[in-house]
């Protein structure tokens, strides 16, 4: 069986500056892979290339063995790949609940059935559970643009799960999130991973979170992978300490 | 909450009754005006979908009304019945609107506004210059009013009901679509296309759909415009008309279901009541629009909603104490 | 432990504020000591950022009083507060996307009094964040998330504020850069600047702070020395991710 | 009842504002005079002025509104584009409409309730064509026209008349209403072998064209119809208007004392010099007065019937200014003029007889 | 050949005017993210200020021009900023766009109702002598327009990119909240922008009205042309607006002469759409990059 995600010699440069410079790795089903690396090492750019937000300069991305380079984000999403964003990306004028329903509705039925079917595309209960979990109940009817930073971050994460994805790419989900909530989030990710065999790739600078969640960690620096392995191995790798963790 | 719903329900009921009784107390010119209001409101509803819900600035709605009107007029001249011609107008505008949507995939905001503006000018020039087809600057006159099942809608009163009926139909359809997941998809398109795309919303398809449906509705409005006014000339569909439709949508309240009805009423019915303003109506209207934009860019519906919200908040605060 | 009365530079007394009809701060009260780092922690949506906005005159204080250096500064405009020596680094992304990095940086000094040597300061800031130097001519919107935050922090170094309000500077920064940022804050404090910091990264923030505040539902729940808060079991459980979390102790370096 | 309702519908704003305002002011002047003398058959005239905003659909709505109030006669509008849709309604209501439109089509539909106040293009263009052939003696001409119903209608009629007279149209230049830059249009006619240029555009555009033509040194005669020799064009074009010749349907500068006296009255009352639309509006009201007094009652149908085939002379009704005849279609016939602009003033060089419809 | 040169030379003169107006557009965009649909009317109106000063207040030419500049700065600059833009900026772009559309109507109607619906003669700064240039005729007025337009643009370009105030103005447009937090005098920056725009459009007005005559509808074509010029050249570059203006002026003339007079209005628009689709940022424009 093919790996869930295969990246082969991916390059992306912006006007001569190589942001991603020959990255290759594979992610197997059910893995939780962490990606760390200094600021500007190309982590977000890598995600953007994988998810079709950016066109890679060269290289190939395969999902379930199928080449997906050049596919649009919405088509990738239809294959069961979803993501969160580093900077806040919600629908500011929609309520929290509508944000969540919007996030999942394209996975329910056909264009036709969505026009004539129920208003919430049958996603109401799922959305409510999500709201409950992310402790957003008291703001469920509030417009998303009016939430605090951390709340929006959580909403963004919640949205990524509405479509029941098989592969989720999370870009700094912990930034600005309260530590207690973060613990819950980690448990939740683990649970989903266990029950549905969903696969996660997580970019994060919060070492506690990465090290306690991930089964494998990749370290990116200047657009290349400089180390990978188990959390412990990576943490003690001198190259990583020099480039990222610091003395 | 309940009281607000009650107020709204009563208001709606009163409006329906008043409109239904229209021919009893309105004079023919007023019937004509209300019919024109209905037709314009349909056109504005289409624009409201494109602009208010999907967030795509279009200055081409007037051109679509024109295309629809000429289609109906020409097809009827060629011997087709009203209803097939009416349908053809909508279908044609759907197709053209779909095509016009393509630039919207590449550019946004003011750029898009100018692409659509260019389109409006082109349509105007075509209508004016291609005399063999459209009779050019001389216009088309003597357009027949429709007959349905042996019932002729020739008189002002009958055609009035016809226009209002069709408007109600479109209002209902629009309501249904907006509250369906499609409506939500249009809105996320407006709110954050990047995020929408990554959530599987096919922004290309929805953008094109928003344009196509909005344009088709405009085309249908044109299909009614032709038999209502019974005279078509290119000037009626120049840029100014598109701009005034745009103003109507915004003044009424973009992104509100009833916004276009209110906006069209302000632009079409109100001048009749404010006869004393005579030559200064446009001046006053423009000034009022500016004040409204500064005060409440959500338009008149937004204004009333805000007023209600404030009242509710005051009531709630009173309850707390 | 109550703060030293004589050293207090900023006080909030019963501040009530919010957005539109909504009230978020329900009588927030606390005091901040001069030349100390005070860290504010609290759950998401507690109103931490709202407190900063109220102090910096970005939202209206309905009742209550804010005093800075003994003067009443309630509801003054940002420019007046800057003139009094308060500066503010908000949460999230706050750059001018279409200007170059250098021009972004330079604008941080626009409110500087004439005696400040801006070019030298800009050099110093670029020294602390070499990556920004290498990107000085790039459009700011092309920076990575972390680089944008660095730009903001560098920008805040151009002035010599008496009070710096800084809202979650560590978001998006690599551990090394977080440390660098905290070092900068410590340097500033050592030069006499009072720092009020919001952090979710509570443990490491409290470790370098002098005092801490816990904010919940728009009200001060706890105010004490940073050490005391670190050892407070209530705080540990709620805000340091204690309890359910397996300890890795990465921050003990 | 002491007043009679005769509403006026005119282009008071939008593209037709110049013409519409002139038309309205002519009407105001006539109504004031008539009412000061006690009105018509003892009833004062009630003439509200309504704006079409130069838009056909509004014109139509407004005329419907007037008809609801049972008018005796309707005045206006001036733009043919607004007349065409609105005349169907007045016809259905059997109310005479005296209007300012000049498009040929208006009187070709067998509508017994529509009446002109100026030549239709099918009358004025032959006059110009004759002048081209006999006065200018041109073998080839260029025509510069504004692409709206006024200009296009005139151009079509003109080209047809040229063909009839074996004069070649060697340049056919369409311009836009509101156009400000006429460089390319002048280049085109300049490069054509035309021996005369016929300019048929609205006032300002005419002036701008004349200026550009002078600048580029056009030597061949510039010929126009009414507008080009009008007061406004001369004022705006300044020097550049000198030497322009052509046919003038109506003008306050004609060697007709009544017209000149009218021009002075108008200027005194409104502070600006009228154009032909002012005369059209003024005479329209006096037509109503004369016909009504003749039939002796306020009867719309009888009015329409009476005006067909009627000739009114200044002797019978001084306010008519010049003798005029209406035929069975509602077309008007009267004397007209050949003029020339000399030293910044319109000079009438010849009076043309009635066409004899 | 001389016909061709004539077309190009005349086109350049027209284009310079478009450029001058387009520069105002680009300026407003760059420094306050405002799209002013009343820009054409901003050029139409100052001529009437001068006419009023001459006709009703009995001023001479130069004093009247000075009065015209002053009123323009006051009404089109300060009042426009204070009454129209300021209250609306916080609502985003669309309400403002709509408001300027309404403002355009308001200005047109006001001039029509309170001055005149007819075109007016306007005195010229330089007496228009015609010069011969390679067989084509150029008037000194046109040359003055070209020189002034290019000069104004060079000055502005320098101001925006090389002075701190210029950059603070741009910063204000891009992120008002941050600008305020950093202590930029946001109000004043916006005011500067609008004053400059008001003066620019007044200048354009005084330069072109002698040629085009003053009329309340003049803004319609002019505004549109200037807008197209701004987009074609590059909305976020002041010098792009100049290029766009000149291209458009020449193109319009050539199209009318060699393509189709009936469709001449379409040609610039087709070019516009082509540019938008091929290079949305305009010929000289910068790409507005955003990373996600
Ligand atoms: N612009 C706004 N309009 C309306 N409500 C707002 C706005 N900003 C914040 N709020 C509300 O105010 C409350 C407090 O927000 P605030 O941003 O102060 O929280 P915070 O403590 O900074 O949280 P975080 O840790 O997530 O940044 C939240 O419930 C939020 O929904
Ligand atoms: N649109 C762009 N144009 C030019 N350079 C870009 C662009 N987007 C990203 N870059 C550059 O590419 C590099 C990688 O950026 P990326 O956002 O991938 O970093 P990152 O690893 O996610 O960093 P962080 O941890 O700070 O988010 C950075 O140096 C950035 O400046
Ligand atoms: Mg990143
Ligand atoms: Mg916050």
């Amino acid at each position: 069986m093919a790996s869930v995600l295969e990246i082969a010699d991916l390059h992306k440069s912006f006007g001569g500056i190589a942001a991603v410079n020959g990255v290759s790795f594979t992610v197997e089903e059910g893995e939780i892979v962490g990606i760390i690396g200094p600021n500007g090492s190309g982590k977000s750019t890598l995600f953007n290339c994988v998810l079709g937000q950016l066109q890679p300069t060269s290289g190939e991305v395969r999902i379930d063995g199928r080449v997906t380079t050049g596919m649009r984000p919405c088509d990738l999403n239809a294959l069961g790949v979803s993501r969160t964003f580093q900077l806040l990306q919600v629908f500011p004028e929609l309520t929290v609940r509508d944000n969540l329903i919007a996030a999942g509705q394209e996975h329910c039925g056909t264009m036709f059935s969505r026009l004539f079917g129920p208003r919430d595309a049958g996603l109401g209960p799922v959305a409510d559970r999500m709201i409950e979990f992310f402790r957003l109940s008291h703001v469920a009817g509030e417009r998303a643009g009016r939430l605090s930073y951390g709340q929006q971050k959580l909403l963004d994460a919640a949205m990524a799960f509405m479509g029941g994805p098989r592969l989720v790419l999370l870009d700094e989900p912990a930034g600005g999130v309260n530590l207690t909530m973060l613990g819950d989030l980690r448990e939740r990710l683990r649970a989903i991973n266990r029950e549905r065999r969903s696969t996660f790739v997580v970019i994060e600078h919060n070492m506690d979170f990465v090290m306690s969640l991930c089964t494998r960690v990749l370290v990116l620096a200047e657009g290349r992978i400089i180390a990978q392995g188990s959390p412990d191995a990576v943490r003690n790798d001198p190259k990583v300490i020099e480039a990222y963790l610091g003395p | 909450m309940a009281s607000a719903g009650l107020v709204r329900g009563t208001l709606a009921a009163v409006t329906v009754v008043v409109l239904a009784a229209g021919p009893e107390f309105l004079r023919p010119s007023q019937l004509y005006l209300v019919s024109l209001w209905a037709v314009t409101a349909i056109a504005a509803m289409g624009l409201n979908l494109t602009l208010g819900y999907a967030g795509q600035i279009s200055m081409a709605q007037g051109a679509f009304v024109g295309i629809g009107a000429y289609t109906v007029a020409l097809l009827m001249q060629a011997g087709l019945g009203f209803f097939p011609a009416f349908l053809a107008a909508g279908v044609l505008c759907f197709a053209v609107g779909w095509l016009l949507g393509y630039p919207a995939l590449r550019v946004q905001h003011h750029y898009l506004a100018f692409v659509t503006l260019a389109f409006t000018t082109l349509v105007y020039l075509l209508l004016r210059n291609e005399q063999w087809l459209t009779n050019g600057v001389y216009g088309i006159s003597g357009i027949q009013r429709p007959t349905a099942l042996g019932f002729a809608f020739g008189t002002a009163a009958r055609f009035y009901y016809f226009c209002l009926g069709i408007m109600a139909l479109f209002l209902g359809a629009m309501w249904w679509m907006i509250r369906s997941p499609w409506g939500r998809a249009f809105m996320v398109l407006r709110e954050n296309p990047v995020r929408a795309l990554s959530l599987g919303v096919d922004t290309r398809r929805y953008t094109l759909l928003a344009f196509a449906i909005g344009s088709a509705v405009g085309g249908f409005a044109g299909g009614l415009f032709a038999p209502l006014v019974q005279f078509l000339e290119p000037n009626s569909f120049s840029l100014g008309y598109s701009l005034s439709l745009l103003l109507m949508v915004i003044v009424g309240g973009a992104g509100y279901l009833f916004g276009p009805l209110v906006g069209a009423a302000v632009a079409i019915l109100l001048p009749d009541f404010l006869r004393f303003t005579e030559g200064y109506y446009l001046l006053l209207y423009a000034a009022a629009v500016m004040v409204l934009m500064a005060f409440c860019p959500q338009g008149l519906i937004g204004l009333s909603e805000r007023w209600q919200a404030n009242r509710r908040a005051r009531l709630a605060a009173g309850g707390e104490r | 432990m109550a703060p030293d009365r004589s050293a207090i530079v900023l006080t909030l007394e019963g501040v009530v504020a919010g957005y539109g009809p909504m009230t978020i701060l329900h009588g927030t009260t606390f005091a901040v000591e001069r030349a100390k780092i005070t860290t504010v922690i609290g759950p998401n949506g507690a109103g931490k950022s709202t407190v900063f906005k109220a102090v910096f005159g970005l939202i209206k204080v309905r009742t209550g009083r804010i005093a800075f250096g003994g003067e009443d500064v309630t509801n003054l405009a940002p420019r007046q507060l800057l003139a009094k020596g308060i500066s503010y680094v908000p949460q999230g992304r706050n750059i001018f996307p279409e200007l170059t990095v250098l021009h972004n940086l330079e604008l941080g000094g626009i409110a500087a009094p004439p005696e400040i040597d801006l070019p030298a300061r800009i050099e110093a800031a670029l020294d602390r964040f070499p990556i920004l130097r290498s990107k000085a001519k790039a459009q700011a919107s092309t920076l990575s998330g972390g680089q944008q935050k660095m730009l903001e922090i560098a920008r805040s170094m151009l002035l010599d504020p008496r009070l710096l309000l800084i809202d979650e500077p560590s978001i998006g920064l690599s551990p090394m850069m977080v440390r660098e940022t905290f070092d900068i804050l410590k340097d500033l404090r050592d030069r006499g600047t009072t720092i009020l910091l919001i952090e979710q990264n509570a443990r490491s923030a409290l470790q370098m702070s002098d005092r801490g505040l816990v904010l919940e539902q728009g009200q001060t729940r706890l105010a004490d020395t940073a050490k005391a808060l670190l050892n407070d079991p209530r705080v540990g459980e709620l805000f340091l991710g204690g309890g359910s979390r397996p300890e890795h102790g990465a921050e003990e370096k | 009842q002491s007043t009679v309702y005769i509403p006026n519908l005119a282009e008071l704003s939008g593209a037709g504002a110049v013409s519409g305002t002139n038309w309205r002011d002519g009407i105001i002047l006539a109504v004031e005079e008539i009412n000061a003398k006690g009105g018509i058959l003892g009833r004062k005239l009630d003439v509200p002025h309504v704006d079409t905003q130069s838009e056909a659909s509004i014109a139509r709505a407004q005329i419907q509104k007037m008809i609801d109030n049972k008018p005796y006669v309707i005045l206006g509008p001036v733009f043919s584009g607004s007349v065409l849709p609105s005349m169907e309604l007045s016809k259905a209501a059997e109310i005479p409409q005296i209007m300012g439109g000049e498009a040929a089509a208006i009187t070709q539909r067998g509508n017994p309730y529509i009446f002109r106040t100026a030549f239709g293009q099918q009358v004025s263009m032959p006059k110009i064509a004759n002048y081209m052939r006999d006065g200018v003696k041109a073998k080839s001409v260029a025509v510069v026209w504004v692409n709206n119903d006024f200009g296009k209608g005139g151009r079509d009629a003109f080209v047809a008349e040229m063909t009839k007279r074996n004069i070649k149209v060697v340049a056919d230049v369409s311009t836009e209403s509101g156009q400000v830059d006429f460089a390319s249009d002048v280049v085109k006619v300049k490069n054509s072998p035309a021996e005369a240029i016929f300019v048929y555009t609205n006032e300002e555009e005419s002036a701008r064209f004349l200026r550009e033509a002078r600048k580029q040194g056009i030597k061949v005669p510039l010929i126009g119809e009414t507008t080009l020799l009008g007061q406004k064009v001369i004022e705006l074009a300044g020097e550049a208007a000198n030497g322009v010749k052509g046919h003038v349907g109506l003008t306050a500068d004609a060697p007709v004392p009544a017209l000149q006296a009218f021009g002075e009255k108008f200027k005194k009352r409104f502070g600006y010099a009228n154009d032909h639309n002012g005369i059209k509006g003024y005479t329209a009201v006096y037509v109503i007065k004369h016909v009504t007094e003749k039939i002796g009652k306020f009867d719309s149908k009888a009015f329409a019937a009476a005006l067909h085939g009627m000739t009114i002379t200044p002797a019978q009704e001084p306010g008519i200014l010049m003798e005029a005849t209406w035929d069975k279609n509602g077309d008007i016939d009267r004397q007209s003029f050949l003029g020339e602009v000399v030293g910044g003033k319109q000079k009438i060089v010849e009076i043309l007889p009635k066409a004899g419809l | 050949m001389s016909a061709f040169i004539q077309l190009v030379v005349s086109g350049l003169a027209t284009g310079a005017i478009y450029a001058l107006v387009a520069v105002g557009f680009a300026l407003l965009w760059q420094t306050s993210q405002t799209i002013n649909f009343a820009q054409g009317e901003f050029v139409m109106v100052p001529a009437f200020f001068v006419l009023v000063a001459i006709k009703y207040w009995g001023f001479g030419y130069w004093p009247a021009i000075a009065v015209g500049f002053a009123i323009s700065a006051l009404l089109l600059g300060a009042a426009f900023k204070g009454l129209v833009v300021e209250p609306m900026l916080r609502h985003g772009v669309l309400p403002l766009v709509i408001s300027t559309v309404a403002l355009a109507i308001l200005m047109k109607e006001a001039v029509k109702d309170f001055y005149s619906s007819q075109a007016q003669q306007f005195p010229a700064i330089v007496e228009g002598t015609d010069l011969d240039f390679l067989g084509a005729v150029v008037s000194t007025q046109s040359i003055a327009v070209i020189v002034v337009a290019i000069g104004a643009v060079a000055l502005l370009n320098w101001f925006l990119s090389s002075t701190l105030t210029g950059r603070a103005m741009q910063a204000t447009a891009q992120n008002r909240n941050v600008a305020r937090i950093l202590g930029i005098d946001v109000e004043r920056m916006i005011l500067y922008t609008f004053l400059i725009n008001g003066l620019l459009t007044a200048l354009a007005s005084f330069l072109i009205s002698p040629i085009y005559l003053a009329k309340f509808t003049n803004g319609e074509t002019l505004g549109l042309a200037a807008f197209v010029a701004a987009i074609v050249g590059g909305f976020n570059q002041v010098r792009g607006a100049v290029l766009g203006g000149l291209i458009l002026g020449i193109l319009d003339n050539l199209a009318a002469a060699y393509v189709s007079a009936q469709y001449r209005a379409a040609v610039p628009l087709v070019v516009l759409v082509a540019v938008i689709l091929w290079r949305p940022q305009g010929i000289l424009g910068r790409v507005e990059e955003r990373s996600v």
Side-chain angles (χ1 to χ4, degrees), chain B residues 186-274:
Chain B
F186 289 138
M187 282 186 253
V188 303
L189 207 66
R190 170 190 76 192
E191 294 284 297
N192 190 341
V194 173
R195 188 60 175 126
L197 198 61
S198 80
L199 288 169
V201 180
D202 189 338
T203 49
R204 182 196 298 168
R205 186 191 297 164
Y206 280 108
T207 306
L208 296 179
L209 259 182
F211 261 97
I213 299 177
S215 307
V217 174
F220 283 122
L224 281 181
F225 185 90
L228 174 66
V229 180
Q230 296 181 303
F231 175 79
L232 298 180
E233 50 133 16
N235 265 323
S236 314
F237 308 109
S238 61
L239 185 59
Y241 185 50
S242 286
L243 284 181
S244 80
L245 282 173
L246 187 68
L247 283 187
M248 282 179 221
V249 170
I250 303 277
V251 165
Y256 293 99
L257 187 64
F258 288 97
L261 304 196
V262 175
V266 171
I268 296 198
L269 298 182
L270 209 56
D272 200 50
F273 288 103
L274 304 179

Side-chain angles (χ1 to χ4, degrees), chain E residues 38 42 56 77 80 93 115 132 146 168 190 192 241 258:
Chain E
F42 272 42
Y56 294 105
F80 178 51
V93 185
Y115 195 93
D132 189 83
I146 297 180
I190 297 180
Y192 284 167
Y258 300 122

Side-chain angles (χ1 to χ4, degrees), chain D residues 66-139:
Chain D
M66 294 172 171
I67 290 170
D68 288 348
N69 290 327
K70 309 242 172 321
Y72 172 46
V73 177
I74 292 173
L75 293 166
V78 180
F79 266 25
S80 307
S82 293
V83 174
L84 284 165
S86 61
M87 59 191 267
E88 305 290 336
L89 293 173
S90 55
K91 178 183 169 192
E94 304 186 317
I95 291 168
Q97 186 176 358
I98 307 181
M99 52 85 217
E102 298 179 5
I106 294 174
T107 48
Q108 288 165 354
R109 297 184 178 179
N111 182 334
Y113 288 94
I114 198 83
F115 297 95
R116 288 191 198 275
T117 50
F119 294 140
Q121 283 157 343
Q122 77 277 27
V123 178
S124 53
M125 287 305 155
K127 294 193 176 196
I128 273 287
N130 289 340
Y131 178 63
M132 280 287 182
R133 184 187 56 199
D134 308 330
V136 186
K137 297 196 170 30
K139 290 272 167 292

Side-chain angles (χ1 to χ4, degrees), chain D residues 77-198:
Chain D
V78 180
F79 266 25
S80 307
S82 293
V83 174
L84 284 165
S86 61
M87 59 191 267
E88 305 290 336
L89 293 173
S90 55
K91 178 183 169 192
E94 304 186 317
I95 291 168
Q97 186 176 358
I98 307 181
M99 52 85 217
E102 298 179 5
I106 294 174
T107 48
Q108 288 165 354
R109 297 184 178 179
N111 182 334
Y113 288 94
I114 198 83
F115 297 95
R116 288 191 198 275
T117 50
F119 294 140
Q121 283 157 343
Q122 77 277 27
V123 178
S124 53
M125 287 305 155
K127 294 193 176 196
I128 273 287
N130 289 340
Y131 178 63
M132 280 287 182
R133 184 187 56 199
D134 308 330
V136 186
K137 297 196 170 30
K139 290 272 167 292
S140 59
V141 297
V143 50
V144 177
W145 48 284
V146 57
N147 201 340
N148 57 22
D149 57 319
F150 160 74
K152 185 81 193 321
R155 177 250 170 222
D156 288 352
F158 178 78
V159 171
E161 295 297 332
M162 288 293 105
T163 320
K164 267 190 221 160
R165 288 164 182 76
N166 266 328
I167 302 175
K168 270 217 280 301
V169 176
V170 289
D172 187 3
V173 181
S174 132
T175 67
E176 298 294 325
S177 113
Q179 185 174 329
V180 287
D181 185 359
F182 284 87
S184 62
D185 312 285
V186 171
V187 165
K188 264 198 222 163
V189 293
K190 193 178 170 192
N191 283 352
S192 76
E195 293 164 22
I197 301 165
F198 178 53

Side-chain angles (χ1 to χ4, degrees), chain A residues 95-101 120 122-141 155 158 162 188:
Chain A
T95 64
V96 168
R97 196 162 180 275
D98 267 334
N99 263 272
L100 290 171
I101 293 173
D120 59 4
L123 282 170
V126 188
D128 290 335
R129 276 203 300 282
M130 226 26 122
I131 288 170
E132 186 88 13
F133 174 76
F134 284 99
R135 296 185 198 164
L136 295 168
S137 307
H138 59 297
V139 288
L155 176 59
M162 282 302 293
R188 175 66 173 224

Side-chain angles (χ1 to χ4, degrees), chain B residues 27-30 32-33 36 124-125 128-129 131 137-138 141-142 145 225 228-231 233 235-236 240-241 271-272 275 278-279 281-282, chain D residues 13 49-51 53-57 60-61 64-66 68-69 80-81 84-85 88-89 109 147-149 152-154 156 174-177:
Chain B
R27 293 186 302 181
S29 68
Q30 291 167 328
Y32 172 81
L33 223 56
L36 185 64
Y124 164 74
L125 288 175
R128 188 192 69 180
N129 294 344
Q131 197 170 342
V137 292
Y138 301 128
S141 53
R145 285 186 176 171
F225 185 90
L228 174 66
V229 180
Q230 296 181 303
F231 175 79
E233 50 133 16
N235 265 323
S236 314
Y241 185 50
D272 200 50
R275 221 163 296 167
E278 268 314 321
Y281 181 75
L282 214 50
Chain D
S13 60
H49 304 279
V50 178
D51 187 10
Q53 298 173 27
S54 307
E55 280 186 33
S57 63
R60 197 193 135 105
Q64 177 73 68
K65 200 150 73 184
M66 294 172 171
D68 288 348
N69 290 327
S80 307
L84 284 165
E88 305 290 336
L89 293 173
R109 297 184 178 179
N147 201 340
N148 57 22
D149 57 319
K152 185 81 193 321
D156 288 352
S174 132
T175 67
E176 298 294 325
S177 113

